Amino acid sequence: MTSRSLQADFIERIGDFRQILAALELLPGTMFAIKNLESRYVYMSVALRRAIHVNSPEDVIGKTDFDLFPRIIAESFRQNDLLVFQHEKPLLNEVHFTSFFANAPIWSFSSKFPIHTVNREVIGLVIINEAYDDVMGKQAELNQLLPAIDHVSKYYAQSITINELAAVCQMSASHFMRIFKTSLHMTAYSFVEQVRMYHAIEALKSGTASITQIALDCGFYDHSAFVKRFKKFTGTTPLRYRRTHQATLSAGRPIVLPTPKY
């Protein structure tokens, strides 16, 4: 028996693949998930659930990213899933930045691999995320951006310019914008807005300040523009989001903040 046939025979005899997933869970910080062709989660590791602040697997299984994340984030995740399904090839090392407000910033690599049946039909994909320390070791350019990331995290409520961010990184504005877009697959402007929007979301969830005040406190100085951008980001208005969140809390359903990318 060849090594390939030996491997194939062994895999075919596995009765319940969940026993392998349970063993993989024991690897420290292992962040992975499995989706079907509808991009519904079939499995999500404990470490990944913790990263998106979900405790129970029942709160994830059968859900899509649209159930868990703001619409603009979910749409980007779904488009990446479709690329894997259509081309039947892995999507490797997408760089994500995660910031959970008071928590430390986290970088991660996210890769997606198609899953085939014995007849070579794609039935889903597996997602593997690598955390902060590994990413920073592999991507030297990301280290150069950390001063700007730190600056935005501290001063998001104030006016922030590209020249200002480039200066703290000791780069020209054009070089800074190019590295930022190449490394993070988003513009620096988008990143600043994303950080501000996440703080606005948290304020709407946990505070009682007016929407106008929240907008100002998070660096949005035009109320109508804030409402429009909030709706694009989440799919709903700030007022409706606050009411929906309060109703959801009463019903006991979790609300998740994502690993952002757009």
Side-chain angles (χ1 to χ4, degrees):
M1 180 179 290
T2 66
S3 58
R4 185 177 295 274
S5 60
L6 176 68
Q7 183 185 65
D9 178 68
F10 178 82
I11 292 173
E12 288 179 5
R13 293 173 60 191
I14 296 175
D16 188 346
F17 199 76
R18 287 175 294 183
Q19 61 190 305
I20 295 178
L21 297 177
L24 292 176
E25 288 278 19
L26 299 178
L27 294 173
T30 304
M31 296 190 291
F32 64 94
I34 299 173
K35 292 181 180 178
N36 64 13
L37 278 178
E38 296 178 339
S39 290
R40 294 188 180 278
Y41 286 97
V42 176
Y43 188 90
M44 183 180 287
S45 69
V46 172
L48 186 52
R49 292 203 314 272
R50 287 173 179 167
I52 64 171
H53 296 183
V54 172
N55 294 320
S56 172
E58 285 73 27
D59 293 328
V60 173
I61 304 305
K63 302 289 182 62
T64 71
D65 292 315
F66 289 92
D67 298 313
L68 300 174
F69 307 126
R71 185 179 63 182
I72 194 168
I73 303 297
E75 285 175 349
S76 69
F77 288 169
R78 176 57 174 168
Q79 289 306 310
N80 285 347
D81 290 356
L82 291 175
L83 287 175
V84 175
F85 296 148
Q86 291 168 0
H87 299 289
E88 300 187 23
K89 294 181 179 179
L91 187 63
L92 300 176
N93 296 338
E94 292 279 306
V95 179
H96 290 183
F97 173 78
T98 305
S99 179
F100 291 108
F101 311 108
N103 298 333
I106 298 173
W107 297 93
S108 68
F109 272 143
S110 179
S111 297
K112 298 182 177 183
F113 302 84
I115 299 174
H116 296 85
T117 66
V118 292
N119 297 321
R120 300 302 299 168
E121 296 177 353
V122 176
I123 60 169
L125 57 80
V126 58
I127 305 164
I128 298 176
N129 289 338
E130 295 181 75
Y132 178 88
D133 292 336
D134 295 331
V135 175
M136 296 309 297
K138 296 174 181 176
Q139 291 288 321
E141 284 190 336
L142 292 181
N143 285 299
Q144 300 177 43
L145 298 177
L146 284 179
I149 300 299
D150 184 62
H151 187 84
V152 174
S153 299
K154 291 179 179 177
Y155 304 112
Y156 64 89
Q158 302 177 15
S159 175
I160 297 176
T161 67
I162 294 299
N163 286 336
E164 185 180 342
L165 296 178
V168 298
C169 295
Q170 299 183 348
M171 302 179 190
S172 67
S174 59
H175 184 58
F176 169 78
M177 288 190 293
R178 180 175 58 80
I179 289 183
F180 203 102
K181 181 68 179 293
T182 301
S183 299
L184 297 183
H185 304 286
M186 72 174 79
T187 67
Y189 290 112
S190 295
F191 175 74
V192 172
E193 182 183 63
Q194 179 174 276
V195 172
R196 288 171 171 166
M197 196 63 71
Y198 278 9
H199 281 277
I201 288 174
E202 179 70 0
L204 286 167
K205 288 168 54 181
S206 59
T208 58
S210 69
I211 292 172
T212 298
Q213 187 60 51
I214 288 173
L216 291 172
D217 291 344
C218 295
F220 296 97
Y221 302 109
D222 184 319
H223 176 83
S224 61
F226 167 68
V227 173
K228 290 179 181 178
R229 297 303 297 164
F230 189 95
K231 187 172 183 179
K232 181 177 181 180
F233 190 83
T234 65
T236 187
T237 65
L239 180 59
R240 191 171 300 158
Y241 181 90
R242 170 174 272 174
R243 289 174 176 171
T244 300
H245 177 77
Q246 292 172 349
T248 302
L249 283 181
S250 299
R253 178 191 171 196
I255 290 180
V256 178
L257 291 173
T259 297
K261 174 180 179 299
Y262 63 91

